[in-house]
Amino acid sequence: MAEEQNAQDFTEDGDEGKRPLTRIQKVNRGKILEAALEVFSANGFRGATLDQIAAEAGLSKPNVLYYFPSKEAIHEALLGGLLDVWLAPLRAMNPEGEPREEIMRYMRRKLEMSREMPRESRLFANEVLQGAPRIGSGLSSDLKTLVDEKAAVIDHWIAQGRLAPVDPHHLIFSIWALTQHYADFDVQVRAVLGPGKDPIEGAAPFLDLLFTRLLTP
Amino acid sequence: MAEEQNAQDFTEDGDEGKRPLTRIQKVNRGKILEAALEVFSANGFRGATLDQIAAEAGLSKPNVLYYFPSKEAIHEALLGGLLDVWLAPLRAMNPEGEPREEIMRYMRRKLEMSREMPRESRLFANEVLQGAPRIGSGLSSDLKTLVDEKAAVIDHWIAQGRLAPVDPHHLIFSIWALTQHYADFDVQVRAVLGPGKDPIEGAAPFLDLLFTRLLTP
DNA sequence: CGTGACCCTGACCGATTGGTCAAACTGTTC
DNA sequence: GAACAGTTTGACCAATCGGTCAGGGTCACG
């Protein structure tokens, strides 16, 4: 029950030895990362055990540690490999595009990701909640750079009068908060709404309305 | 560094033995709960250890277990005692009041709580993130009841034309998401904004604007 | 089909963790 | 101040955890 594609080729090594990476290696590293995503996102770093990950991946514990030197290394590989995917929609925001359309597209894409990749969302949420001890300053400074860059774009749009004046940083935070809420607090949302349709289906028109009203001058 | 008031008297027992609760008992249970809030909110349930809690409380581990039968029991006492505090602002929403004012007041109070009680927010976030295994159906059904009740009030306001038409459940979710984001993802918010003023100071006017625009017909 | 590199595992280890217990200590009450 | 309930602790335990290791199995390639 863990048979997805893990589109990651792992050329990531600092120095020399770039062995071509066996077929078995590719398969098993993929299985481990998929299992680790499942287990880490559901239990957090400390709550997850190597035995769980090994069982979920269908491998023995020593075999898992044959492919990754430690539990921490698995976690890092996961986070590092996923961060780009996670930030891609924001990167894709086009300064040349129509302002409201660009921001709405970003919001909708993030909401889509909450539906399609809730485990990834929870993985990051877990990490940040505990003070981001394992993702730390390096990635956080990349994040800051990207956000500052896009905030400047939004400010420019506002200066042109093409967007209602709002604090761009908090606008971005609000997109994160509102979309990721449906992935991170899924159980609570479902508990309140009761059984039935996908909560995100109801969220989509609400968020459309919310951001339309916020951004229209 | 853990000297706050813990306003909880703990009459909570199902059946008979209601001993008057010694002075020492009141003090030490308070110390333990305060320490547990600190440790659980920072590390999650599984990430927290009894030794950490004992050290933070300034007690020995066996002494902690003299006052609470298990780590789980401490966690439950914390969550149970805090849930009322957490939901009080929503309970306080007055059906007789002016609609936008009531909702704005609720939002502002929640934001205030993110500033003043971030540990409590993270405690709940941790619990819900992991699927709420220890808070479960009982509390979730209380929560649903309360939210459904208030959603009905909001719907009534909308029917009267005193509020712009919005999905009341998702409106409440949006208040939760936007306000708690600043407590739960504090490190990320600060990393992006850079060092300086309290992020919530910047959030307050933004959220005022956002909800004003959303709710004005 | 042989051989060397790669892959896999059972058994094991030391550290940590939640929890126990007997014994000692302290506060309170008559 | 005797006596008893209430409080505290060092020593200890069983289970779990991340990680190691020696040895055996398997794959690809000549």
Side-chain angles (χ1 to χ4, degrees):
Chain A
M1 58 180 66
E3 229 52 43
E4 295 183 11
Q5 78 292 8
N6 263 78
Q8 275 158 262
D9 268 69
F10 280 92
T11 328
E12 51 111 350
D13 24 276
D15 35 43
E16 30 90 12
K18 44 184 69 187
R19 269 71 58 98
L21 204 48
T22 318
R23 176 183 50 88
I24 298 183
Q25 270 170 3
K26 230 178 290 185
V27 169
N28 281 354
R29 287 177 98 105
K31 276 201 239 177
I32 291 169
L33 288 174
E34 157 65 24
L37 175 58
E38 187 72 28
V39 176
F40 280 138
S41 69
N43 305 99
F45 181 78
R46 287 215 50 182
T49 72
L50 282 174
D51 297 82
Q52 279 176 292
I53 296 172
E56 182 80 26
L59 300 173
S60 69
K61 185 169 63 169
N63 203 9
V64 167
L65 287 166
Y66 172 74
Y67 289 103
F68 291 91
S70 70
K71 179 184 172 184
E72 184 115 14
I74 302 176
H75 195 248
E76 271 170 32
L78 249 191
L79 282 175
L82 249 28
L83 194 70
D84 283 337
V85 177
W86 208 242
L87 294 182
L90 183 55
R91 268 204 190 90
M93 202 168 80
N94 180 13
E96 316 293 336
E98 204 284 309
R100 263 182 297 166
E101 197 180 315
E102 287 297 321
I103 293 172
M104 295 299 281
R105 191 205 321 284
Y106 174 52
M107 183 274 288
R108 291 193 192 108
R109 179 71 191 114
K110 282 290 285 177
L111 188 62
E112 233 177 273
M113 284 171 70
S114 274
R115 172 153 44 188
E116 288 164 12
M117 307 166 72
R119 298 176 304 173
E120 286 81 347
S121 186
R122 280 186 219 115
L123 183 77
F124 284 117
N126 258 306
E127 177 67 9
V128 176
L129 238 188
Q130 328 259 302
R134 275 168 283 274
I135 204 173
S137 51
L139 303 178
S140 255
S141 83
D142 290 351
L143 180 68
K144 176 170 169 46
T145 304
L146 176 63
V147 172
D148 282 345
E149 177 197 322
K150 297 305 182 183
V153 170
I154 294 172
D155 261 334
H156 187 60
W157 284 337
I158 292 172
Q160 291 178 325
R162 301 208 280 160
L163 211 58
V166 290
D167 183 308
H169 282 99
H170 288 282
L171 172 62
I172 292 174
F173 292 154
S174 72
I175 294 173
W176 292 351
L178 287 168
T179 58
Q180 293 176 6
H181 185 82
Y182 289 94
D184 300 343
F185 300 104
D186 181 67
V187 286
Q188 191 184 64
V189 168
R190 286 179 194 274
V192 168
L193 291 182
K197 295 233 285 220
D198 182 2
I200 293 185
E201 266 182 57
F206 174 82
L207 294 184
D208 256 54
L209 180 70
L210 187 154
F211 282 104
T212 301
R213 294 221 179 146
L214 175 64
L215 297 175
T216 305
Chain B
M1 58 182 68
E3 230 52 45
E4 295 184 11
Q5 79 293 8
N6 263 77
Q8 274 158 264
D9 268 69
F10 279 92
T11 329
E12 50 110 352
D13 22 278
D15 35 44
E16 29 90 13
K18 42 184 72 186
R19 268 72 56 101
L21 204 47
T22 318
R23 175 182 48 89
I24 298 183
Q25 271 170 1
K26 231 180 288 188
V27 169
N28 282 354
R29 287 176 99 104
K31 276 201 239 177
I32 292 169
L33 288 173
E34 158 65 23
L37 175 58
E38 186 72 28
V39 176
F40 280 138
S41 68
N43 305 99
F45 180 77
R46 288 216 48 184
T49 72
L50 281 174
D51 298 82
Q52 280 176 292
I53 295 172
E56 182 79 27
L59 301 172
S60 69
K61 186 169 63 170
N63 203 7
V64 167
L65 288 165
Y66 172 74
Y67 290 102
F68 291 91
S70 68
K71 179 184 172 183
E72 185 114 13
I74 303 176
H75 195 248
E76 271 169 33
L78 248 193
L79 283 174
L82 248 28
L83 194 70
D84 282 336
V85 177
W86 208 241
L87 294 181
L90 182 55
R91 267 203 190 91
M93 203 168 80
N94 179 13
E96 317 293 335
E98 204 282 309
R100 263 183 297 168
E101 198 180 315
E102 287 298 320
I103 293 172
M104 295 299 282
R105 192 207 319 284
Y106 174 51
M107 182 274 288
R108 292 193 192 107
R109 178 72 192 114
K110 283 290 285 177
L111 188 61
E112 233 176 273
M113 284 171 71
S114 273
R115 171 152 46 187
E116 288 164 11
M117 308 166 72
R119 298 176 304 174
E120 286 81 348
S121 186
R122 279 185 218 116
L123 184 77
F124 284 118
N126 259 307
E127 177 67 8
V128 176
L129 238 188
Q130 327 258 304
R134 275 168 283 274
I135 203 173
S137 50
L139 303 178
S140 255
S141 83
D142 290 349
L143 180 68
K144 177 171 167 47
T145 304
L146 176 63
V147 172
D148 282 345
E149 178 197 321
K150 296 306 180 180
V153 170
I154 294 172
D155 261 334
H156 186 61
W157 285 336
I158 292 172
Q160 292 178 324
R162 301 208 280 161
L163 211 57
V166 290
D167 183 307
H169 284 97
H170 288 281
L171 172 62
I172 291 173
F173 292 156
S174 72
I175 293 173
W176 292 351
L178 287 168
T179 57
Q180 293 176 6
H181 185 82
Y182 289 94
D184 301 343
F185 301 104
D186 181 67
V187 286
Q188 192 183 64
V189 168
R190 285 178 193 275
V192 168
L193 291 183
K197 295 233 286 217
D198 182 3
I200 293 185
E201 266 182 56
F206 174 83
L207 294 183
D208 256 55
L209 180 70
L210 188 154
F211 282 105
T212 301
R213 293 221 179 146
L214 174 64
L215 297 174
T216 305

